[in-house]
Amino acid sequence: MIGVYGFLLIAVPVAVVAAAIAVGVAWVRSYLRDG
Amino acid sequence: MRAIDWVFVCLYFAVLVVIGVRAVRRIRSSDDFAVAGGRLGWPILFATVAASFLGGGAAMGNAGNVLKDGYVFMFAFFAFGLQTVLVGQFMVHKLRRYEGAHTVGDVMEVHYGKGARLISGLLSLGLCAGILGGQILAVGTLLTTMLDISLFVGILIGMGVVLLYSTFGGMWAVVQTDVVQFLVLGILVPVALVLGVVKVGGPAEIVERVPADHLTLLGGWTVVAFVGTFITFLLGETMTPPFAQRAFAASDPRAARRGYVVSGFFSLAFYFVTGSIGLVALILYPKIATDQALPTVMANLLPVGATGLALAALLAVIQSTASSYLNSTAIVFVKDIYVPFIRPHASDRHRLLVQRLSTLAVGVAAVAFASTAPSIIDAFLLAFNLWAPTVVLPLVVAVVWGLRSSSAGLAAMVGGGLGGAIWTWGLGEPYGVSGIVFGVVVNAVVYFVTYAVAPRGPRLVHHDDVKLATEGALK
Protein backbone atom coordinates (compact mmCIF):
# COMPACT_ATOMS: atom_id res chain seq x y z
CA MET A 1 0.00 0.00 0.00
CA ILE A 2 1.89 3.13 -1.13
CA GLY A 3 -0.72 5.69 -0.04
CA VAL A 4 -1.18 9.25 -1.26
CA TYR A 5 2.44 10.34 -0.73
CA GLY A 6 3.73 7.22 -2.45
CA PHE A 7 1.57 7.96 -5.48
CA LEU A 8 2.62 11.62 -5.52
CA LEU A 9 6.30 10.70 -5.27
CA ILE A 10 6.05 9.17 -8.75
CA ALA A 11 3.22 11.17 -10.34
CA VAL A 12 4.42 14.70 -9.49
CA PRO A 13 7.97 14.43 -10.92
CA VAL A 14 6.57 12.81 -14.06
CA ALA A 15 4.08 15.69 -14.42
CA VAL A 16 6.83 18.30 -13.88
CA VAL A 17 9.02 16.72 -16.56
CA ALA A 18 6.04 16.53 -18.94
CA ALA A 19 5.25 20.22 -18.39
CA ALA A 20 8.90 21.20 -18.94
CA ILE A 21 9.09 19.21 -22.16
CA ALA A 22 5.81 20.70 -23.44
CA VAL A 23 7.11 24.23 -22.83
CA GLY A 24 10.44 23.27 -24.41
CA VAL A 25 8.77 22.07 -27.60
CA ALA A 26 6.61 25.24 -27.81
CA TRP A 27 9.65 27.44 -27.21
CA VAL A 28 11.89 25.68 -29.77
CA ARG A 29 9.16 25.99 -32.41
CA SER A 30 8.66 29.70 -31.75
CA TYR A 31 12.42 30.30 -31.47
CA LEU A 32 13.11 28.64 -34.82
CA ARG A 33 10.23 30.57 -36.39
CA ASP A 34 10.95 34.05 -34.95
CA GLY A 35 14.58 33.85 -33.83
CA MET B 1 34.90 16.12 -12.57
CA ARG B 2 35.47 13.81 -15.55
CA ALA B 3 35.64 14.82 -19.21
CA ILE B 4 31.98 13.96 -19.80
CA ASP B 5 30.98 16.23 -16.89
CA TRP B 6 32.88 19.13 -18.42
CA VAL B 7 31.19 18.47 -21.78
CA PHE B 8 27.75 18.93 -20.21
CA VAL B 9 28.75 22.07 -18.29
CA CYS B 10 30.44 23.62 -21.36
CA LEU B 11 27.42 22.74 -23.53
CA TYR B 12 25.11 24.49 -21.05
CA PHE B 13 27.29 27.64 -21.04
CA ALA B 14 27.57 27.56 -24.85
CA VAL B 15 23.79 27.48 -25.27
CA LEU B 16 23.43 30.48 -22.94
CA VAL B 17 26.04 32.47 -24.87
CA VAL B 18 24.51 31.67 -28.29
CA ILE B 19 21.00 32.61 -27.16
CA GLY B 20 22.27 35.75 -25.42
CA VAL B 21 24.19 36.90 -28.50
CA ARG B 22 21.21 36.21 -30.79
CA ALA B 23 18.96 38.25 -28.49
CA VAL B 24 21.12 41.37 -28.88
CA ARG B 25 19.81 42.08 -32.41
CA ARG B 26 16.23 42.23 -31.08
CA ILE B 27 17.03 45.15 -28.76
CA ARG B 28 16.17 48.35 -30.60
CA SER B 29 14.54 50.42 -27.84
CA SER B 30 14.45 50.84 -24.06
CA ASP B 31 11.08 49.06 -24.20
CA ASP B 32 12.73 46.00 -25.78
CA PHE B 33 15.47 46.05 -23.13
CA ALA B 34 13.04 46.44 -20.19
CA VAL B 35 9.99 44.36 -21.10
CA ALA B 36 10.96 42.48 -24.29
CA GLY B 37 8.76 44.81 -26.30
CA GLY B 38 5.64 43.49 -24.50
CA ARG B 39 5.47 40.48 -26.82
CA LEU B 40 5.73 37.37 -24.59
CA GLY B 41 3.16 34.60 -25.05
CA TRP B 42 1.92 32.56 -22.08
CA PRO B 43 4.19 29.47 -22.36
CA ILE B 44 7.31 31.67 -22.37
CA LEU B 45 5.89 33.77 -19.51
CA PHE B 46 5.19 30.59 -17.55
CA ALA B 47 8.78 29.42 -18.03
CA THR B 48 10.42 32.75 -17.22
CA VAL B 49 8.27 33.38 -14.12
CA ALA B 50 8.96 29.85 -12.88
CA ALA B 51 12.72 30.00 -13.60
CA SER B 52 13.08 33.44 -12.00
CA PHE B 53 11.31 32.53 -8.77
CA LEU B 54 12.48 28.93 -8.36
CA GLY B 55 15.86 29.96 -6.99
CA GLY B 56 18.16 28.62 -4.32
CA GLY B 57 15.43 28.87 -1.65
CA ALA B 58 12.94 26.74 -3.56
CA ALA B 59 15.58 24.17 -4.49
CA MET B 60 18.45 23.79 -2.01
CA GLY B 61 16.66 25.62 0.83
CA ASN B 62 13.43 23.64 0.58
CA ALA B 63 15.21 20.26 0.25
CA GLY B 64 17.42 21.01 3.27
CA ASN B 65 14.58 22.23 5.47
CA VAL B 66 12.35 19.25 4.61
CA LEU B 67 15.26 16.96 5.48
CA LYS B 68 15.45 18.71 8.86
CA ASP B 69 11.78 19.40 9.72
CA GLY B 70 9.73 17.35 7.25
CA TYR B 71 7.01 18.31 4.77
CA VAL B 72 5.77 21.04 7.17
CA PHE B 73 8.36 23.40 5.69
CA MET B 74 7.18 22.58 2.18
CA PHE B 75 3.54 23.20 3.18
CA ALA B 76 4.55 26.65 4.49
CA PHE B 77 6.56 27.25 1.31
CA PHE B 78 3.43 26.49 -0.75
CA ALA B 79 2.44 30.07 0.14
CA PHE B 80 4.81 31.34 -2.60
CA GLY B 81 3.04 29.25 -5.23
CA LEU B 82 -0.38 30.18 -3.89
CA GLN B 83 0.58 33.86 -4.05
CA THR B 84 1.60 33.43 -7.71
CA VAL B 85 -1.74 31.80 -8.53
CA LEU B 86 -3.75 34.52 -6.73
CA VAL B 87 -1.79 37.40 -8.24
CA GLY B 88 -2.05 35.73 -11.65
CA GLN B 89 -5.79 35.22 -11.40
CA PHE B 90 -6.78 38.63 -9.99
CA MET B 91 -4.03 41.13 -10.75
CA VAL B 92 -1.46 40.67 -13.53
CA HIS B 93 -3.93 40.99 -16.42
CA LYS B 94 -4.85 44.43 -15.03
CA LEU B 95 -1.17 45.48 -14.90
CA ARG B 96 -1.07 45.09 -18.67
CA ARG B 97 -3.38 48.15 -18.91
CA TYR B 98 -0.57 50.48 -17.79
CA GLU B 99 0.86 51.05 -21.24
CA GLY B 100 4.52 52.08 -21.21
CA ALA B 101 5.01 50.90 -17.60
CA HIS B 102 8.11 48.87 -16.79
CA THR B 103 8.26 48.99 -12.99
CA VAL B 104 6.17 48.92 -9.82
CA GLY B 105 7.13 52.62 -9.42
CA ASP B 106 5.38 53.45 -12.71
CA VAL B 107 2.09 52.11 -11.32
CA MET B 108 2.60 53.69 -7.91
CA GLU B 109 3.08 57.12 -9.49
CA VAL B 110 -0.20 56.83 -11.41
CA HIS B 111 -2.11 56.20 -8.16
CA TYR B 112 -0.04 57.92 -5.46
CA GLY B 113 2.26 60.50 -7.09
CA LYS B 114 6.01 60.95 -7.50
CA GLY B 115 6.88 60.48 -3.81
CA ALA B 116 5.43 56.97 -3.87
CA ARG B 117 7.43 56.23 -7.02
CA LEU B 118 10.64 57.34 -5.31
CA ILE B 119 10.04 55.24 -2.18
CA SER B 120 9.05 52.14 -4.12
CA GLY B 121 11.96 52.74 -6.53
CA LEU B 122 14.51 52.91 -3.71
CA LEU B 123 13.05 49.85 -2.00
CA SER B 124 13.01 48.00 -5.33
CA LEU B 125 16.69 48.85 -5.83
CA GLY B 126 17.65 47.61 -2.36
CA LEU B 127 15.56 44.45 -2.68
CA CYS B 128 16.86 43.55 -6.15
CA ALA B 129 20.49 44.31 -5.27
CA GLY B 130 20.24 42.22 -2.08
CA ILE B 131 18.66 39.19 -3.75
CA LEU B 132 21.10 39.49 -6.67
CA GLY B 133 24.02 39.54 -4.20
CA GLY B 134 22.60 36.49 -2.40
CA GLN B 135 22.37 34.55 -5.68
CA ILE B 136 25.94 35.57 -6.60
CA LEU B 137 27.20 34.24 -3.27
CA ALA B 138 25.21 31.04 -3.85
CA VAL B 139 26.68 30.50 -7.32
CA GLY B 140 30.20 31.17 -5.99
CA THR B 141 29.74 28.76 -3.09
CA LEU B 142 28.31 26.08 -5.40
CA LEU B 143 31.25 26.26 -7.82
CA THR B 144 33.76 26.48 -4.96
CA THR B 145 32.34 23.27 -3.46
CA MET B 146 32.06 21.32 -6.71
CA LEU B 147 35.23 22.46 -8.50
CA ASP B 148 37.50 23.20 -5.53
CA ILE B 149 38.32 26.74 -6.70
CA SER B 150 38.37 30.07 -4.85
CA LEU B 151 35.13 31.96 -4.18
CA PHE B 152 36.16 34.84 -6.44
CA VAL B 153 36.94 32.56 -9.41
CA GLY B 154 33.69 30.67 -8.80
CA ILE B 155 31.71 33.91 -8.86
CA LEU B 156 33.48 35.07 -12.02
CA ILE B 157 32.71 31.81 -13.82
CA GLY B 158 29.11 31.70 -12.64
CA MET B 159 28.30 35.37 -13.20
CA GLY B 160 30.48 36.25 -16.21
CA VAL B 161 28.10 34.81 -18.76
CA VAL B 162 25.04 36.18 -16.91
CA LEU B 163 26.54 39.66 -16.92
CA LEU B 164 27.34 39.36 -20.61
CA TYR B 165 23.89 38.37 -21.86
CA SER B 166 22.01 40.61 -19.41
CA THR B 167 24.03 43.71 -20.38
CA PHE B 168 23.72 43.34 -24.11
CA GLY B 169 20.49 41.39 -24.56
CA GLY B 170 18.40 42.87 -21.71
CA MET B 171 15.03 41.30 -20.97
CA TRP B 172 14.97 39.42 -24.31
CA ALA B 173 18.16 37.55 -23.44
CA VAL B 174 17.12 37.04 -19.81
CA VAL B 175 13.78 35.54 -20.82
CA GLN B 176 15.18 33.27 -23.54
CA THR B 177 17.93 31.96 -21.27
CA ASP B 178 15.33 31.58 -18.49
CA VAL B 179 13.51 29.09 -20.74
CA VAL B 180 16.69 27.06 -21.25
CA GLN B 181 17.38 27.14 -17.53
CA PHE B 182 13.74 26.17 -16.85
CA LEU B 183 14.17 23.12 -19.11
CA VAL B 184 17.40 22.07 -17.41
CA LEU B 185 16.03 22.36 -13.87
CA GLY B 186 12.51 21.19 -14.79
CA ILE B 187 13.83 17.94 -16.23
CA LEU B 188 16.94 17.05 -14.22
CA VAL B 189 15.63 17.79 -10.70
CA PRO B 190 12.50 15.57 -11.00
CA VAL B 191 14.56 12.82 -12.69
CA ALA B 192 16.90 12.89 -9.69
CA LEU B 193 13.89 12.41 -7.38
CA VAL B 194 12.59 9.40 -9.35
CA LEU B 195 16.07 7.83 -9.30
CA GLY B 196 16.27 8.53 -5.57
CA VAL B 197 12.90 6.88 -4.95
CA VAL B 198 14.05 3.82 -6.92
CA LYS B 199 17.37 3.73 -5.05
CA VAL B 200 15.60 3.77 -1.67
CA GLY B 201 13.40 0.85 -2.76
CA GLY B 202 10.21 2.49 -3.97
CA PRO B 203 7.72 5.08 -2.70
CA ALA B 204 6.38 2.81 0.06
CA GLU B 205 9.90 2.49 1.50
CA ILE B 206 10.27 6.26 1.75
CA VAL B 207 6.92 6.64 3.50
CA GLU B 208 7.93 3.86 5.90
CA ARG B 209 11.51 4.92 6.65
CA VAL B 210 11.21 8.66 7.31
CA PRO B 211 10.09 9.74 10.81
CA ALA B 212 6.28 9.86 10.99
CA ASP B 213 6.16 13.58 11.84
CA HIS B 214 8.09 14.37 8.63
CA LEU B 215 4.90 13.61 6.68
CA THR B 216 2.31 15.47 8.78
CA LEU B 217 0.97 18.98 8.13
CA LEU B 218 2.57 20.60 11.19
CA GLY B 219 5.47 18.21 11.92
CA GLY B 220 7.12 19.49 15.08
CA TRP B 221 5.97 23.10 14.51
CA THR B 222 3.35 24.98 16.51
CA VAL B 223 0.27 26.36 14.74
CA VAL B 224 1.50 29.94 15.41
CA ALA B 225 4.92 29.22 13.87
CA PHE B 226 3.33 27.61 10.83
CA VAL B 227 0.78 30.38 10.21
CA GLY B 228 3.44 33.10 10.73
CA THR B 229 5.86 31.46 8.29
CA PHE B 230 3.07 30.85 5.78
CA ILE B 231 1.95 34.50 5.84
CA THR B 232 5.56 35.71 5.60
CA PHE B 233 6.12 33.56 2.52
CA LEU B 234 2.74 34.62 1.11
CA LEU B 235 3.45 38.36 1.32
CA GLY B 236 7.25 38.69 1.43
CA GLU B 237 7.92 38.53 -2.32
CA THR B 238 4.54 39.58 -3.69
CA MET B 239 4.91 41.67 -6.83
CA THR B 240 8.65 42.17 -6.45
CA PRO B 241 10.16 44.09 -9.42
CA PRO B 242 11.01 41.15 -11.74
CA PHE B 243 7.59 39.66 -11.04
CA ALA B 244 5.77 42.86 -12.07
CA GLN B 245 8.13 43.40 -14.99
CA ARG B 246 7.08 40.08 -16.52
CA ALA B 247 3.43 41.12 -16.39
CA PHE B 248 4.30 44.24 -18.40
CA ALA B 249 6.15 42.01 -20.87
CA ALA B 250 3.07 39.86 -21.63
CA SER B 251 1.67 40.06 -25.16
CA ASP B 252 -1.88 40.59 -23.80
CA PRO B 253 -3.83 40.35 -20.52
CA ARG B 254 -4.92 36.74 -21.13
CA ALA B 255 -1.35 35.62 -21.72
CA ALA B 256 -0.30 37.34 -18.48
CA ARG B 257 -3.01 35.65 -16.43
CA ARG B 258 -2.47 32.19 -17.88
CA GLY B 259 1.34 32.37 -17.65
CA TYR B 260 1.30 33.33 -13.97
CA VAL B 261 -1.45 30.93 -12.87
CA VAL B 262 0.18 27.95 -14.58
CA SER B 263 3.54 28.99 -13.14
CA GLY B 264 2.04 29.09 -9.63
CA PHE B 265 0.67 25.56 -9.92
CA PHE B 266 3.97 24.37 -11.41
CA SER B 267 5.81 25.88 -8.42
CA LEU B 268 3.70 23.81 -6.01
CA ALA B 269 4.72 20.64 -7.86
CA PHE B 270 8.37 21.74 -7.94
CA TYR B 271 8.38 22.38 -4.17
CA PHE B 272 7.04 18.85 -3.68
CA VAL B 273 9.87 17.49 -5.86
CA THR B 274 12.69 19.34 -4.07
CA GLY B 275 11.13 18.70 -0.64
CA SER B 276 10.89 14.97 -1.40
CA ILE B 277 14.53 14.99 -2.48
CA GLY B 278 15.20 16.17 1.09
CA LEU B 279 13.46 13.00 2.36
CA VAL B 280 15.48 10.81 -0.03
CA ALA B 281 18.64 12.50 1.28
CA LEU B 282 17.53 11.86 4.87
CA ILE B 283 17.36 8.12 4.15
CA LEU B 284 20.40 7.73 1.89
CA TYR B 285 22.76 10.33 3.41
CA PRO B 286 21.51 10.97 6.96
CA LYS B 287 24.70 12.68 8.13
CA ILE B 288 25.05 15.40 5.45
CA ALA B 289 24.61 19.12 6.12
CA THR B 290 21.06 20.22 5.28
CA ASP B 291 22.10 22.64 2.50
CA GLN B 292 23.91 19.77 0.76
CA ALA B 293 20.79 17.58 0.45
CA LEU B 294 19.89 18.51 -3.13
CA PRO B 295 23.45 18.73 -4.56
CA THR B 296 24.37 15.40 -2.95
CA VAL B 297 21.32 13.52 -4.27
CA MET B 298 21.76 14.98 -7.76
CA ALA B 299 25.50 14.41 -8.00
CA ASN B 300 25.24 10.82 -6.73
CA LEU B 301 22.11 9.57 -8.45
CA LEU B 302 22.02 11.12 -11.92
CA PRO B 303 23.48 8.83 -14.62
CA VAL B 304 26.66 9.22 -16.75
CA GLY B 305 28.06 12.73 -16.52
CA ALA B 306 26.17 13.05 -13.25
CA THR B 307 28.32 15.72 -11.69
CA GLY B 308 28.23 17.86 -14.83
CA LEU B 309 24.46 17.47 -15.18
CA ALA B 310 23.89 18.27 -11.52
CA LEU B 311 26.14 21.32 -11.74
CA ALA B 312 24.32 22.56 -14.86
CA ALA B 313 20.93 22.12 -13.15
CA LEU B 314 22.01 23.91 -9.97
CA LEU B 315 23.63 26.71 -12.00
CA ALA B 316 20.38 27.04 -13.96
CA VAL B 317 18.40 27.40 -10.72
CA ILE B 318 20.64 30.20 -9.44
CA GLN B 319 21.61 32.00 -12.67
CA SER B 320 18.02 32.41 -13.89
CA THR B 321 17.12 34.19 -10.65
CA ALA B 322 20.33 36.26 -10.67
CA SER B 323 19.86 37.49 -14.24
CA SER B 324 16.23 38.48 -13.57
CA TYR B 325 17.15 40.54 -10.52
CA LEU B 326 20.18 42.06 -12.28
CA ASN B 327 17.99 43.17 -15.18
CA SER B 328 15.34 44.54 -12.80
CA THR B 329 17.88 46.51 -10.76
CA ALA B 330 19.00 48.39 -13.87
CA ILE B 331 15.46 48.93 -15.17
CA VAL B 332 14.28 50.27 -11.79
CA PHE B 333 17.25 52.63 -11.56
CA VAL B 334 16.60 54.10 -15.02
CA LYS B 335 12.79 54.22 -14.83
CA ASP B 336 12.23 55.20 -11.19
CA ILE B 337 15.31 57.30 -10.39
CA TYR B 338 17.33 58.43 -13.42
CA VAL B 339 14.61 59.55 -15.83
CA PRO B 340 12.08 61.12 -13.40
CA PHE B 341 14.58 62.79 -11.06
CA ILE B 342 17.88 63.25 -12.95
CA ARG B 343 17.28 63.47 -16.69
CA PRO B 344 13.56 63.80 -17.50
CA HIS B 345 13.97 64.50 -21.20
CA ALA B 346 16.38 61.69 -22.04
CA SER B 347 15.88 60.29 -25.54
CA ASP B 348 15.04 56.61 -25.97
CA ARG B 349 18.53 55.96 -27.35
CA HIS B 350 20.04 57.55 -24.24
CA ARG B 351 17.76 55.49 -21.95
CA LEU B 352 18.85 52.28 -23.68
CA LEU B 353 22.49 53.22 -23.21
CA VAL B 354 21.96 53.97 -19.51
CA GLN B 355 20.05 50.70 -19.07
CA ARG B 356 23.02 48.78 -20.47
CA LEU B 357 25.61 50.72 -18.47
CA SER B 358 23.57 50.33 -15.27
CA THR B 359 23.28 46.57 -15.81
CA LEU B 360 27.05 46.34 -16.21
CA ALA B 361 27.77 48.61 -13.25
CA VAL B 362 25.31 46.85 -10.91
CA GLY B 363 26.62 43.44 -11.97
CA VAL B 364 30.27 44.38 -11.44
CA ALA B 365 29.51 46.05 -8.09
CA ALA B 366 27.46 43.06 -6.89
CA VAL B 367 30.26 40.65 -7.86
CA ALA B 368 32.79 42.85 -6.04
CA PHE B 369 30.67 43.11 -2.88
CA ALA B 370 29.84 39.40 -2.85
CA SER B 371 33.53 38.52 -3.19
CA THR B 372 34.96 40.95 -0.68
CA ALA B 373 32.25 42.30 1.64
CA PRO B 374 29.19 40.02 1.88
CA SER B 375 27.87 42.08 4.82
CA ILE B 376 26.94 44.82 2.33
CA ILE B 377 24.59 42.32 0.66
CA ASP B 378 23.03 41.61 4.07
CA ALA B 379 22.41 45.36 4.39
CA PHE B 380 20.63 45.46 1.03
CA LEU B 381 18.58 42.43 2.01
CA LEU B 382 17.03 44.50 4.82
CA ALA B 383 14.87 45.95 2.04
CA PHE B 384 13.31 42.48 1.69
CA ASN B 385 11.77 42.86 5.17
CA LEU B 386 10.34 46.26 4.21
CA TRP B 387 8.85 45.38 0.81
CA ALA B 388 5.59 43.80 1.99
CA PRO B 389 4.91 46.33 4.82
CA THR B 390 5.27 49.28 2.42
CA VAL B 391 4.45 48.50 -1.20
CA VAL B 392 2.28 45.39 -1.48
CA LEU B 393 -1.12 46.49 -0.15
CA PRO B 394 -1.13 49.97 -1.77
CA LEU B 395 -0.11 48.35 -5.06
CA VAL B 396 -2.74 45.60 -4.89
CA VAL B 397 -5.67 47.93 -4.05
CA ALA B 398 -4.50 50.37 -6.73
CA VAL B 399 -4.36 47.76 -9.48
CA VAL B 400 -7.37 45.67 -8.47
CA TRP B 401 -9.82 48.39 -7.31
CA GLY B 402 -8.24 51.47 -8.90
CA LEU B 403 -7.93 53.44 -5.62
CA ARG B 404 -6.02 56.75 -5.85
CA SER B 405 -4.81 58.92 -2.98
CA SER B 406 -1.32 60.34 -2.59
CA SER B 407 -1.92 60.92 1.13
CA ALA B 408 -3.09 57.34 1.78
CA GLY B 409 -0.32 55.81 -0.34
CA LEU B 410 2.51 57.80 1.24
CA ALA B 411 1.17 57.54 4.83
CA ALA B 412 0.72 53.76 4.49
CA MET B 413 4.22 53.28 3.04
CA VAL B 414 5.87 55.31 5.78
CA GLY B 415 3.67 53.88 8.58
CA GLY B 416 4.01 50.26 7.46
CA GLY B 417 7.76 50.61 6.90
CA LEU B 418 8.31 52.16 10.33
CA GLY B 419 6.00 49.65 12.01
CA GLY B 420 7.76 46.68 10.39
CA ALA B 421 11.22 48.10 11.14
CA ILE B 422 10.51 48.87 14.81
CA TRP B 423 8.82 45.49 15.35
CA THR B 424 11.71 43.62 13.70
CA TRP B 425 14.86 45.49 14.76
CA GLY B 426 13.63 47.57 17.69
CA LEU B 427 11.55 44.99 19.56
CA GLY B 428 13.05 41.77 18.16
CA GLU B 429 9.76 40.36 16.79
CA PRO B 430 7.90 39.71 20.09
CA TYR B 431 5.32 36.87 20.50
CA GLY B 432 6.94 35.12 17.52
CA VAL B 433 5.08 37.44 15.11
CA SER B 434 7.27 38.41 12.16
CA GLY B 435 7.93 42.07 11.35
CA ILE B 436 6.50 41.52 7.88
CA VAL B 437 3.12 40.45 9.28
CA PHE B 438 3.01 43.29 11.82
CA GLY B 439 4.13 45.87 9.24
CA VAL B 440 1.48 44.75 6.74
CA VAL B 441 -1.24 45.16 9.39
CA VAL B 442 -0.02 48.71 10.21
CA ASN B 443 0.25 49.46 6.49
CA ALA B 444 -3.36 48.35 5.88
CA VAL B 445 -4.81 50.24 8.87
CA VAL B 446 -2.97 53.47 7.99
CA TYR B 447 -3.94 53.17 4.33
CA PHE B 448 -7.68 52.73 4.82
CA VAL B 449 -7.99 55.27 7.65
CA THR B 450 -6.14 57.92 5.60
CA TYR B 451 -8.08 56.99 2.46
CA ALA B 452 -11.33 57.56 4.34
CA VAL B 453 -10.43 61.00 5.71
CA ALA B 454 -7.92 62.56 3.28
CA PRO B 455 -8.47 63.95 -0.25
CA ARG B 456 -8.57 61.27 -2.94
CA GLY B 457 -8.87 61.10 -6.70
CA PRO B 458 -11.50 59.27 -8.75
CA ARG B 459 -11.01 55.50 -8.96
CA LEU B 460 -9.39 54.15 -12.11
CA VAL B 461 -11.79 51.38 -13.07
CA HIS B 462 -12.10 51.31 -16.85
CA HIS B 463 -9.34 50.58 -19.30
CA ASP B 464 -9.48 54.04 -20.85
CA ASP B 465 -9.22 55.75 -17.43
CA VAL B 466 -6.08 53.76 -16.63
CA LYS B 467 -4.64 54.48 -20.07
CA LEU B 468 -5.26 58.21 -19.76
CA ALA B 469 -3.86 58.46 -16.23
CA THR B 470 -0.80 56.39 -17.21
CA GLU B 471 -0.11 58.63 -20.21
CA GLY B 472 -0.38 61.66 -17.92
CA ALA B 473 1.98 60.26 -15.29
CA LEU B 474 4.55 58.66 -17.60
CA LYS B 475 4.67 61.30 -20.33
Side-chain angles (χ1 to χ4, degrees), chain A residues 15-28:
Chain A
V16 169
V17 172
I21 290 173
V23 167
V25 170
W27 175 71
V28 169

Side-chain angles (χ1 to χ4, degrees), chain B residues 187-249:
Chain B
I187 292 172
L188 292 181
V189 178
V191 166
L193 171 61
V194 172
L195 294 174
V197 171
V198 171
K199 174 99 173 168
V200 170
E205 277 292 302
I206 292 188
V207 175
E208 210 161 279
R209 286 173 64 180
V210 297
D213 70 353
H214 270 53
L215 301 177
T216 59
L217 175 63
L218 289 179
W221 292 20
T222 63
V223 175
V224 173
F226 180 81
V227 172
T229 310
F230 189 89
I231 294 175
T232 303
F233 284 156
L234 187 71
L235 299 173
E237 280 193 58
T238 298
M239 293 311 286
T240 52
F243 208 86
Q245 207 181 334
R246 277 152 182 73
F248 300 128

Side-chain angles (χ1 to χ4, degrees), chain B residues 62-80:
Chain B
N62 188 37
N65 280 297
V66 169
L67 181 152
K68 185 162 67 76
D69 292 346
Y71 274 148
V72 57
F73 185 85
M74 174 190 77
F75 290 131
F77 215 80
F78 275 174
F80 275 131

Side-chain angles (χ1 to χ4, degrees), chain A residues 1-2 5-10 12-17 19-21 23-28 30-31 34-35, chain B residues 19 22 26 43-44 46-47 71 75 176 179-180 182-183 186-187 190 193-194 203-204 215 266 269 272-273 276:
Chain A
M1 191 57 190
I2 62 170
Y5 282 133
F7 170 73
L8 292 176
L9 281 167
I10 297 300
V12 173
V14 170
V16 169
V17 172
I21 290 173
V23 167
V25 170
W27 175 71
V28 169
S30 76
Y31 193 77
D34 305 326
Chain B
I19 290 174
R22 282 173 59 91
R26 302 194 71 154
I44 308 298
F46 156 38
Y71 274 148
F75 290 131
Q176 302 287 5
V179 179
V180 174
F182 170 81
L183 294 178
I187 292 172
L193 171 61
V194 172
L215 301 177
F266 179 87
F272 181 81
V273 168
S276 300

